[in-house]
Amino acid sequence: MRFLINDVFDFPAHLEKLGLADKTEGMIDAVIDESAKIGEEVLAPLNEIADAEGCTHVSPTEITTPKGFKEAYGIYRDGGWQGLSFPETYGGMGMPFSFSIFQADILAAANWTWLMFPGLSKGAINTLVAHGSEPLKDLLLTPLVSGEWTGTMCLTEPQCGSDLAQVSTKAEPVADETFLGMQKYKVSGTKIFISCGDHDLADNIIHCVLARLPGAPEGTRGISLFAVPKKLVGEDGSVGDLNHVNVGRIEDKMGCHGSPTCELQFEEAEGYLIGTAHKGLNHMFTFINTSRVGTAVQGMAAAELAFQNSLWYAKERLSMRSLSGVKNPDGVADPIITHPAVRRLLLTQKAVSEGGRAMVYECALLADKMQAAEAEGDVQAAKRMDDRMGFLTPILKGFLTEMGLEAANAGIQVYGGHGYIKSNKQEQVMRDVRIAPVWEGTTQIQGLDLLGRKVMLQKFRPINEHCMELYKSTLGILLKGEGGKLRSHAWTLLKHVAEWQMLTLKVALRARKNKDAIGVAAEDYLMMGGYVSLAHHWLHMEQAAVRALKAADKSEEDDFYTAKIQTSAFVFDQLLPRTRTLAQTIIAPLDSLMDIKADHFSFDHSK
Amino acid sequence: MRFLINDVFDFPAHLEKLGLADKTEGMIDAVIDESAKIGEEVLAPLNEIADAEGCTHVSPTEITTPKGFKEAYGIYRDGGWQGLSFPETYGGMGMPFSFSIFQADILAAANWTWLMFPGLSKGAINTLVAHGSEPLKDLLLTPLVSGEWTGTMCLTEPQCGSDLAQVSTKAEPVADETFLGMQKYKVSGTKIFISCGDHDLADNIIHCVLARLPGAPEGTRGISLFAVPKKLVGEDGSVGDLNHVNVGRIEDKMGCHGSPTCELQFEEAEGYLIGTAHKGLNHMFTFINTSRVGTAVQGMAAAELAFQNSLWYAKERLSMRSLSGVKNPDGVADPIITHPAVRRLLLTQKAVSEGGRAMVYECALLADKMQAAEAEGDVQAAKRMDDRMGFLTPILKGFLTEMGLEAANAGIQVYGGHGYIKSNKQEQVMRDVRIAPVWEGTTQIQGLDLLGRKVMLQKFRPINEHCMELYKSTLGILLKGEGGKLRSHAWTLLKHVAEWQMLTLKVALRARKNKDAIGVAAEDYLMMGGYVSLAHHWLHMEQAAVRALKAADKSEEDDFYTAKIQTSAFVFDQLLPRTRTLAQTIIAPLDSLMDIKADHFSFDHSK
């Protein structure tokens, strides 16, 4: 983390530039040190127990969380950590967004399901900050930012997940009834898959609910967003009676047992409009984008956790002799870390974890700039940053969750049969992260968002700008030629960027004849962008390591930097070549996917 | 199945050639129909319950299986199915090996963990048939073949799995004690990961145990194989007292809950030598090879099950509109099967399931030939078939288990969030199949077996023979040019075969300088062989379909054959291009995997 923060991205200079140097003095170290303490001492020890114990549906308004979750949340809340990057107006610390990412990086690897409770709440806070009316913000934000309450996102219904046009939950205005000047609504409908939809960590829960107003247009243009508290809130902010939000069931799922996935039944529950009527989906995207970055963190954290748990084992487990000669003559066999196949598994985990971290931190850096631009009222600059993040988010989310799953899968493989046993803690990582490529929009949906919405609908501008950035920085490294393989890696990357950009054009030409060309290409197009981005960040890490090695005062950390350079070589030699396949499949014939009729996928001859 | 059996492989002609036509008349249909009945009516309904319930460790000699398993086993046993492909001498039906593969194909998809009980027992039977002394065979084989008893394979110990050189279980001859003329031994040691190591399905269990005799050489050349019954057997074959084999625990694992994974403690348990002293590992390979093909079936079956469960859902679930125009104007949205990304998931499952089946059936066909050659005493022909299977087995096992896992993973993705919920039955497929790329030798070990033992140690003969076969049959299709894309697919395949063969040579040249070149290449080399093999079988299926389409009397099944042709196109356009990456990584620089020191993978700066 510190290598990225200091050597690669130079966050101190970045904060200086944003005029935040004084305010944030010493804070990064404090965030890292304190988060590490909470992660190591409080959260990590609860991760395995939470998986075994799960959550309990005591009653429709009482869900209990696993042992220790409540106490851990108390420590986090009392430390004021929920407010780390939220405005001081509402009791937050007002630190840059990136700081909360540094914290999430640590806590996510320690205990992902626990982090979901405050994590989802942050999405609700962001949504209210961005779109809530003043009385609503005044009412809800302070207890949310303090962590006294939490928030949720209620989108999915039994008949629809990705396709929110089908949302059928209703919100009816209550005639002549207002609260703090806000119109009261009665919200009715069933929402499913509501993560942390109920629990015992906080006094109250604010649900952000998508619903339709009477006479609303069909489809996504008729959806509005409502704040519906679990318990009614008094004018003074006091928590009152229950508000007809019942948990029908909590799901029995593959993993993530520590966080309850709730079916919520809203039965004329009182709620207040967030933002503008019928603009609910737009508003919700504030929440969704926060969650998508959060889910990218989930993927990266799974890679980190699986890597940490694999590495010590690979050094200790003795099996077979190295093909290139005995490495551990005093032992009965060589440690498995000497075998190339095991090294590849470990290096994949390391590359995804450390490279994924760089990808996420880049996004955090942009978010800081956007935050600063907004604070200064520089709408254009904020929009520029927002666009850039909008382009990067689907790649981050889609690529890092898929790679996190691969890294977790590798973790089982390193352990062999022992990886399949629960007590060795590797299979839980895989079960927990398996949902990451699904929720907050599947990888397939991320692909369509990237290639369809971000690239095609905006006539290539985002991809061209992105590639221009990549050309510039990579060309810089190529021209400087600071040693080692930097120059050849830069050259390889340049060719890949050009190829990716060119493929965009090819897909666009194919799409003019048949729009399915976008659907056929989207997922692989995203993954190719992911590999290019991963390699790009490793190239920069490699450069930073080469420089650090040259600086005399860093000599004692030579090994650390050398390992970075070696891992970069691994990325270029073993991971980036995966684009060789993608470059073909992105423009593979459409008919081999589209021709077969739905009824011809299978035939039941027994009938 | 019938398309492969009749149209592609022409098993009737194959049986005729082996002189088995009369004996097997009508039997294939009987096996398929009766197995389908057992699979559909008896086993499939137990699959989900078994996952939820698991097995219970009642006492060290009493493990109970999930609800219904015992009754299901009774039906299978009473039907005489365990003896399907075993010699009539021991009460079997004496049918060709392939018939038991047809049956396993069906039962594995219905309920994999149940099938493990009779499946592992078959390995024990094969081992005894091949290596047991006459009195041992007379004593044990009849009840094993009837299914009255079952058998297990006891290799792994806490300190060693893949590296059996470390086996430390001991076997001491008991002075002056024999049984039916066989020396008695006392076997002591702890074995772990013993699948179906104890259970309530059968009256007795015969454990095949690897152990060391006093003064045995170190390493794999000092391991012998013993038959150790759970309960002692009288001279008349009657089941007597317990024989000091205790279950220490059953493992709590990610999946496969229906089959107990036991730690077995042998405490001076009575046993008899199987085969020759110190040749235990060689003998055990009879068992291991059976199990490896069985595990390939597990991978293929997982793809089939995930596909079946995905397909109906993809047709019924309505979400979003097709990019190329509304497909379901009367519905609120289009079925997700209209979307390219979902089609790709489904077609991957279909390609792996149906193409994997072809790969497995080819191996079954070779096994039939070997069986027949052995029966005729044609040692050379038998050896030829055995070599060929020895070459194909690691590809089958490694490739089909990895692809089965991918197909199961795709099954979750098709369902979106619903795929993560247990009741939708997709996540169980993934948890159950996750062990397949691990047990019976990891994919990495399969790679080393293929490239190291089979190809390099035998100086390329097996790969060259294999490629020659592929050239011949593919060239045949190329020259005939029977229409459609057959010719272009054949040409593509030829190039791939040549490339794979050439890469073998390149790796060999690199290995002359550094043996690690083999380890670096092995896994990807295997996977490349898998894709080539998959495409090869799809090409033949495509040819059979093209021919069937031309035959007038098949016109009513046009759609079935057209779908085969379309799926073949998918394989060539979307799956075979994965070799583009593998062709690079197989010969990627060694240093990017090997240079980084074990202690430099990670640094703990907090210390």
Side-chain angles (χ1 to χ4, degrees):
Chain A
M1 289 177 64
R2 290 197 164 100
F3 170 66
L4 287 176
I5 290 168
N6 299 316
D7 297 3
V8 180
F9 290 112
D10 198 352
F11 267 84
H14 155 73
L15 294 170
E16 176 88 47
K17 228 176 182 171
L18 297 180
L20 295 167
D22 288 347
K23 187 177 174 183
T24 57
E25 174 74 38
M27 273 300 291
I28 292 185
D29 280 333
V31 168
I32 292 179
D33 293 342
E34 293 304 312
S35 302
K37 244 187 238 168
I38 298 177
E40 283 177 30
E41 293 167 17
V42 181
L43 293 177
L46 300 176
N47 195 39
E48 193 184 351
I49 308 166
D51 180 59
E53 193 184 321
C55 298
T56 310
H57 186 210
V58 180
S59 82
T61 54
E62 193 183 351
I63 305 295
T64 55
T65 51
K67 197 183 131 192
F69 268 39
K70 194 170 177 167
E71 294 70 23
Y73 186 77
I75 292 169
Y76 173 89
R77 182 194 58 220
D78 296 346
W81 292 111
Q82 185 70 339
L84 178 59
S85 300
F86 288 123
E88 286 155 300
T89 333
Y90 304 111
M93 296 192 213
M95 290 295 136
F97 173 77
S98 54
F99 287 30
S100 70
I101 288 288
F102 303 150
Q103 180 167 64
D105 185 354
I106 294 173
L107 304 189
N111 192 329
W112 168 257
T113 61
W114 179 88
L115 186 63
M116 287 175 66
F117 294 88
L120 285 160
S121 198
K122 286 184 185 176
I125 296 170
N126 280 330
T127 307
L128 283 166
V129 168
H131 309 291
S133 62
E134 286 309 317
L136 196 61
K137 290 201 272 194
D138 290 342
L139 186 71
L140 304 179
L141 278 173
T142 303
L144 282 170
V145 167
S146 72
E148 211 181 319
W149 301 352
T150 66
T152 76
M153 152 160 81
C154 302
L155 286 75
T156 305
E157 298 183 4
Q159 78 286 1
C160 67
S162 310
D163 186 5
L164 292 169
Q166 296 180 48
V167 158
S168 71
T169 295
K170 287 182 178 19
E172 307 236 7
V174 187
D176 306 322
E177 283 200 33
T178 59
F179 177 65
L180 296 170
M182 301 182 289
Q183 169 71 51
K184 278 191 190 176
Y185 293 87
K186 294 280 181 204
V187 176
S188 301
T190 298
K191 294 286 181 181
I192 61 168
F193 297 166
I194 310 309
S195 294
C196 310
D198 198 7
H199 56 81
D200 53 3
L201 303 189
D203 295 338
N204 203 3
I205 302 170
I206 307 301
H207 302 292
C208 298
V209 186
L210 287 185
R212 287 183 188 282
L213 287 167
E218 284 194 6
T220 52
R221 286 176 204 173
I223 301 173
S224 306
L225 184 60
F226 297 86
V228 181
K230 174 182 174 181
K231 292 175 188 166
L232 292 169
V233 181
E235 293 196 8
D236 58 349
S238 60
V239 175
D241 293 340
L242 285 166
N243 177 25
H244 310 297
V245 183
N246 291 314
V247 181
R249 62 164 189 277
I250 59 174
E251 306 289 353
D252 186 10
K253 51 201 198 298
M254 185 183 201
C256 287
H257 298 161
S259 78
T261 303
C262 304
E263 180 201 69
L264 290 186
Q265 297 156 348
F266 295 86
E267 289 157 4
E268 303 205 333
E270 191 170 313
Y272 319 102
L273 187 68
I274 301 176
T276 313
H278 310 323
K279 293 276 182 205
L281 203 63
N282 291 4
H283 300 339
M284 193 52 112
F285 261 93
T286 303
F287 199 142
I288 293 173
N289 281 331
T290 313
S291 309
R292 284 184 176 169
V293 175
T295 308
V297 171
Q298 183 190 6
M300 158 189 92
E304 174 67 37
L305 181 57
F307 177 51
Q308 288 186 16
N309 204 17
S310 299
L311 185 55
W312 73 266
Y313 187 78
K315 288 181 191 171
E316 291 201 356
R317 177 78 175 177
L318 307 179
S319 183
M320 323 287 282
R321 289 297 181 186
S322 162
L323 286 179
S324 55
V326 171
K327 302 287 183 292
N328 176 35
D330 300 334
V332 290
D334 290 333
I336 59 173
I337 201 171
T338 59
H339 305 314
V342 174
R343 296 183 145 245
R344 185 149 70 158
L345 295 168
L346 294 169
L347 281 165
T348 302
Q349 295 175 323
K350 183 176 167 70
V352 172
S353 158
E354 297 173 7
R357 178 166 295 123
M359 290 171 71
V360 169
Y361 285 13
E362 179 195 25
C363 198
L365 200 136
L366 293 170
D368 286 355
K369 289 186 185 171
M370 184 172 88
Q371 216 177 18
E374 276 172 348
E376 286 168 21
D378 185 343
V379 181
Q380 271 204 317
K383 173 86 172 58
R384 246 190 344 264
M385 291 304 135
D386 194 36
D387 278 358
R388 191 113 182 77
M389 279 195 289
F391 178 79
L392 292 178
T393 300
I395 300 178
L396 271 192
K397 197 280 179 186
F399 180 74
L400 286 183
T401 58
E402 293 288 347
M403 297 307 285
L405 178 60
E406 178 179 334
N409 190 44
I412 294 180
Q413 205 66 13
V414 169
Y415 274 64
H418 297 274
Y420 202 58
I421 308 299
K422 291 198 171 184
S423 57
N424 288 316
K425 302 187 193 177
Q426 290 290 62
E427 61 85 45
Q428 184 190 342
V429 186
M430 184 165 178
R431 283 188 293 105
D432 283 353
V433 78
R434 178 59 190 88
I435 191 61
V438 168
W439 62 15
E440 313 304 337
T442 62
T443 310
Q444 289 74 22
I445 295 279
Q446 302 300 324
L448 288 174
D449 180 46
L450 176 69
L451 185 56
R453 276 188 71 215
K454 304 283 162 64
V455 173
M456 295 298 170
L457 280 187
Q458 298 183 51
K459 299 196 194 316
F460 311 119
R461 191 184 43 74
I463 172 89
N464 289 342
E465 281 177 14
H466 178 70
C467 289
M468 199 48 70
E469 293 273 337
L470 293 183
Y471 287 136
K472 267 196 288 188
S473 74
T474 310
L475 209 58
I477 292 176
L478 182 77
L479 294 176
K480 276 191 197 115
E482 292 168 84
K485 293 178 183 160
L486 271 175
R487 189 162 261 168
S488 88
H489 285 166
W491 178 239
T492 302
L493 184 63
L494 274 180
K495 286 190 290 185
H496 278 78
V497 175
E499 186 182 27
W500 188 41
Q501 199 177 13
M502 180 79 89
L503 283 164
T504 315
L505 208 63
K506 283 198 190 167
V507 173
L509 288 172
R510 283 152 55 98
R512 286 169 65 179
K513 288 186 202 143
N514 187 338
K515 284 265 188 306
D516 280 331
I518 293 170
V520 167
E523 189 182 347
D524 287 345
Y525 181 84
L526 178 146
M527 290 303 288
M528 184 162 181
Y531 287 112
V532 168
S533 178
L534 186 75
H536 163 74
H537 283 288
W538 270 105
L539 180 66
H540 281 266
M541 289 195 271
E542 185 182 344
Q543 183 190 37
V546 165
R547 287 179 178 177
L549 271 182
K550 281 183 191 157
D553 62 328
K554 294 276 175 95
S555 57
E556 75 225 31
E557 286 170 0
D558 274 9
D559 296 339
F560 176 85
Y561 295 114
T562 303
K564 292 286 179 198
I565 293 167
Q566 289 165 330
T567 308
S568 181
F570 169 80
V571 170
F572 277 86
D573 292 343
Q574 290 277 347
L575 296 184
L576 193 58
R578 294 188 186 178
T579 57
R580 295 311 84 219
T581 294
L582 302 172
Q584 277 204 19
T585 53
I586 286 169
I587 50 168
L590 303 189
D591 55 9
S592 53
L593 270 180
M594 304 312 294
D595 273 4
I596 186 168
K597 289 187 184 151
D599 286 338
H600 297 172
F601 275 78
S602 185
F603 295 84
D604 190 343
H605 289 292
S606 67
K607 280 175 191 162
Chain B
M1 290 177 62
R2 290 197 164 103
F3 170 67
L4 287 175
I5 290 169
N6 299 315
D7 297 4
V8 181
F9 290 113
D10 198 351
F11 268 85
H14 155 74
L15 294 170
E16 176 88 46
K17 228 175 181 173
L18 298 180
L20 296 167
D22 288 347
K23 188 177 172 183
T24 57
E25 174 75 37
M27 272 302 290
I28 292 184
D29 279 333
V31 168
I32 292 179
D33 292 342
E34 293 305 311
S35 302
K37 245 187 239 167
I38 297 175
E40 283 178 28
E41 293 167 17
V42 181
L43 293 178
L46 300 175
N47 196 40
E48 194 184 350
I49 308 165
D51 179 59
E53 193 184 319
C55 297
T56 310
H57 186 210
V58 179
S59 82
T61 54
E62 192 184 350
I63 304 296
T64 54
T65 51
K67 198 182 130 192
F69 268 39
K70 192 169 177 168
E71 293 70 22
Y73 186 76
I75 291 168
Y76 172 89
R77 182 194 58 221
D78 296 346
W81 293 111
Q82 185 70 340
L84 178 59
S85 299
F86 287 123
E88 284 154 303
T89 332
Y90 303 110
M93 295 191 213
M95 290 294 136
F97 174 77
S98 54
F99 288 29
S100 70
I101 286 289
F102 303 150
Q103 180 167 66
D105 185 355
I106 293 173
L107 305 189
N111 191 329
W112 169 257
T113 60
W114 180 90
L115 186 64
M116 288 175 65
F117 294 88
L120 286 161
S121 197
K122 285 183 186 178
I125 296 170
N126 280 330
T127 307
L128 284 165
V129 168
H131 309 291
S133 62
E134 286 309 317
L136 196 61
K137 290 202 273 193
D138 290 342
L139 185 71
L140 303 179
L141 277 173
T142 303
L144 281 171
V145 168
S146 73
E148 212 181 320
W149 302 351
T150 65
T152 75
M153 153 159 80
C154 303
L155 286 75
T156 305
E157 299 183 4
Q159 78 286 3
C160 67
S162 310
D163 187 4
L164 292 168
Q166 296 180 49
V167 158
S168 71
T169 294
K170 287 184 175 20
E172 306 237 7
V174 186
D176 307 324
E177 282 200 35
T178 59
F179 176 65
L180 295 171
M182 301 182 290
Q183 169 71 51
K184 279 190 191 177
Y185 293 87
K186 294 281 181 204
V187 176
S188 300
T190 298
K191 294 286 180 181
I192 61 167
F193 297 167
I194 310 309
S195 294
C196 310
D198 198 7
H199 56 80
D200 53 4
L201 303 189
D203 295 338
N204 203 3
I205 302 171
I206 307 302
H207 302 291
C208 298
V209 185
L210 288 184
R212 289 183 187 281
L213 288 166
E218 282 193 8
T220 53
R221 285 174 204 172
I223 301 174
S224 306
L225 184 59
F226 296 87
V228 182
K230 173 182 175 180
K231 292 177 188 165
L232 292 168
V233 181
E235 294 196 7
D236 58 351
S238 61
V239 176
D241 292 340
L242 285 166
N243 177 28
H244 310 297
V245 183
N246 291 314
V247 181
R249 64 164 188 277
I250 58 174
E251 306 288 353
D252 186 10
K253 51 199 198 295
M254 183 183 202
C256 286
H257 297 161
S259 79
T261 303
C262 303
E263 180 202 69
L264 289 186
Q265 296 156 348
F266 295 87
E267 288 156 5
E268 303 205 332
E270 191 170 312
Y272 319 101
L273 186 68
I274 301 175
T276 313
H278 310 324
K279 293 277 182 206
L281 203 63
N282 291 3
H283 301 339
M284 193 51 112
F285 262 94
T286 304
F287 199 143
I288 293 172
N289 280 331
T290 313
S291 308
R292 283 183 176 171
V293 175
T295 308
V297 171
Q298 183 190 8
M300 159 188 91
E304 173 68 35
L305 181 56
F307 177 50
Q308 288 187 16
N309 204 18
S310 298
L311 184 55
W312 73 266
Y313 187 77
K315 288 181 190 172
E316 291 201 357
R317 177 78 174 177
L318 307 180
S319 184
M320 323 286 281
R321 290 299 182 184
S322 161
L323 286 179
S324 56
V326 172
K327 301 287 186 290
N328 177 35
D330 299 335
V332 292
D334 291 333
I336 59 173
I337 200 170
T338 59
H339 304 315
V342 174
R343 294 182 147 247
R344 186 150 69 162
L345 295 168
L346 294 169
L347 281 166
T348 302
Q349 295 175 322
K350 183 176 166 71
V352 173
S353 158
E354 297 174 6
R357 179 166 294 123
M359 290 170 71
V360 169
Y361 285 14
E362 178 195 27
C363 198
L365 200 138
L366 292 170
D368 286 354
K369 289 184 185 171
M370 183 172 88
Q371 216 178 18
E374 276 173 346
E376 285 167 22
D378 186 343
V379 180
Q380 271 204 319
K383 173 85 172 57
R384 247 192 341 265
M385 291 304 135
D386 194 35
D387 279 358
R388 191 116 181 74
M389 280 194 290
F391 177 78
L392 292 178
T393 300
I395 300 178
L396 271 191
K397 197 279 180 188
F399 179 73
L400 286 183
T401 58
E402 293 287 348
M403 296 306 285
L405 178 59
E406 178 179 335
N409 190 44
I412 294 180
Q413 206 66 13
V414 169
Y415 274 64
H418 297 274
Y420 201 59
I421 308 298
K422 291 199 171 181
S423 57
N424 288 317
K425 302 187 191 177
Q426 291 290 65
E427 61 85 44
Q428 185 190 341
V429 186
M430 185 165 178
R431 282 188 293 107
D432 284 353
V433 78
R434 180 58 190 88
I435 190 62
V438 169
W439 61 14
E440 314 303 337
T442 62
T443 310
Q444 289 74 21
I445 294 279
Q446 302 300 324
L448 288 174
D449 180 46
L450 176 69
L451 185 56
R453 276 189 71 216
K454 304 285 162 63
V455 172
M456 296 297 171
L457 280 187
Q458 299 185 48
K459 300 197 195 317
F460 312 117
R461 191 185 43 73
I463 172 89
N464 289 342
E465 282 177 13
H466 179 69
C467 289
M468 198 47 70
E469 293 272 336
L470 293 184
Y471 287 135
K472 265 195 288 188
S473 74
T474 310
L475 209 57
I477 291 175
L478 183 75
L479 295 176
K480 275 191 198 117
E482 292 169 83
K485 294 178 183 160
L486 273 174
R487 189 163 262 166
S488 87
H489 286 166
W491 179 238
T492 302
L493 184 62
L494 275 179
K495 286 190 290 187
H496 278 79
V497 175
E499 185 181 26
W500 189 42
Q501 200 177 12
M502 181 78 88
L503 283 164
T504 316
L505 209 64
K506 284 198 189 167
V507 173
L509 288 172
R510 283 153 54 99
R512 285 170 66 179
K513 287 186 203 143
N514 186 338
K515 283 266 188 303
D516 280 329
I518 293 170
V520 167
E523 189 182 348
D524 287 345
Y525 181 84
L526 178 145
M527 291 303 287
M528 185 164 180
Y531 287 112
V532 168
S533 179
L534 186 76
H536 163 74
H537 282 288
W538 270 106
L539 180 67
H540 280 267
M541 289 195 270
E542 185 182 345
Q543 183 189 39
V546 165
R547 286 179 180 177
L549 271 182
K550 280 182 191 157
D553 62 327
K554 294 278 174 89
S555 57
E556 77 226 29
E557 286 170 0
D558 274 8
D559 296 338
F560 175 85
Y561 295 113
T562 303
K564 291 287 179 198
I565 294 167
Q566 289 165 330
T567 308
S568 181
F570 169 80
V571 170
F572 278 85
D573 292 343
Q574 290 277 346
L575 296 185
L576 193 58
R578 294 188 185 178
T579 56
R580 294 311 84 219
T581 295
L582 302 172
Q584 277 205 17
T585 53
I586 286 170
I587 49 169
L590 303 190
D591 54 9
S592 53
L593 270 180
M594 304 313 294
D595 272 4
I596 185 169
K597 288 188 186 152
D599 286 338
H600 296 173
F601 275 78
S602 187
F603 296 83
D604 190 343
H605 288 292
S606 66
K607 280 175 193 164

